[in-house]
């Protein structure tokens, strides 16, 4: 996977929609990797339940396409157009959470560090970087 696909998949762990907007799906570029992650998640939930723990929340693909586009260098205007129902504050908050997770992934050393660090650089730009500087 490339940096923007890593960002898209990682967003599934951090994004929580404010309301149920119906089913969302993963971008085609990460569908196979997302299916593998969801299978692993199902195994973990089974273990959690058998241990009497509350199950982990499912992965949420609702922000993945946006995260992937942003990491690919697409502008806010291109992503959202003139849609005034989209809150830039929500976008920035979600991206800041994604950056935090990408930093944690980088620290594990489990993924190619060049890919993860490129994802970090491509996500932490524009309004997202400006919010982090405050």
């Amino acid at each position: 996977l490339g940096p923007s696909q890593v960002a898209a998949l990682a967003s599934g762990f951090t994004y929580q929609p404010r309301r149920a907007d119906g089913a969302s799906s993963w971008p085609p570029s990460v569908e196979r990797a997302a299916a593998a992650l969801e299978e692993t998640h199902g195994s973990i939930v089974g273990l959690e339940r058998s241990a009497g723990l509350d199950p982990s929340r499912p992965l949420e693909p609702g922000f993945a396409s946006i995260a992937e586009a942003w990491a690919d260098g697409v502008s806010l205007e291109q992503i959202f157009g003139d849609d005034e129902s989209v809150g830039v504050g929500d976008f920035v908050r979600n991206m800041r959470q994604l950056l935090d997770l990408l930093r944690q992934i980088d620290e594990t050393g489990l993924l190619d560090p060049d890919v993860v660090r490129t994802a970090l650089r491509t996500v932490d730009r524009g309004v997202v970087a400006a919010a982090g500087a405050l």
Side-chain angles (χ1 to χ4, degrees):
L1 297 173
S4 60
Q5 289 78 38
V6 168
L9 284 171
S11 76
F13 292 96
T14 60
Y15 179 66
Q16 292 182 320
R18 291 186 184 252
R19 61 190 179 281
D21 289 332
S24 11
S25 58
W26 294 100
S29 60
V30 298
E31 282 177 337
R32 283 188 19 202
L37 277 177
E38 288 175 340
E39 185 177 322
T40 301
H41 176 265
S43 299
I44 291 170
V45 166
L47 293 170
E48 289 169 332
R49 286 191 174 131
S50 67
L53 301 171
D54 291 333
S56 301
R57 69 178 183 82
L59 298 173
E60 172 53 61
F63 196 71
S65 293
I66 293 171
E68 182 178 37
W70 183 253
D72 273 337
V74 176
S75 71
L76 274 179
E77 293 79 20
Q78 291 171 301
I79 292 172
F80 298 118
D82 293 331
D83 186 354
E84 297 193 17
S85 69
V86 175
V88 174
D90 288 339
F91 167 79
V92 170
R93 179 181 52 82
N94 283 302
M95 285 297 179
R96 298 302 307 165
Q97 290 174 334
L98 175 58
L99 281 169
D100 183 49
L101 178 58
L102 289 170
R103 286 185 188 102
Q104 292 175 45
I105 291 170
D106 185 40
E107 289 174 9
T108 69
L110 295 173
L111 296 179
D112 181 341
D114 291 333
V115 171
V116 177
R117 290 175 190 151
T118 299
L120 281 161
R121 279 192 311 277
T122 59
V123 169
D124 196 15
R125 64 182 178 86
V127 295
V128 176
L134 297 177

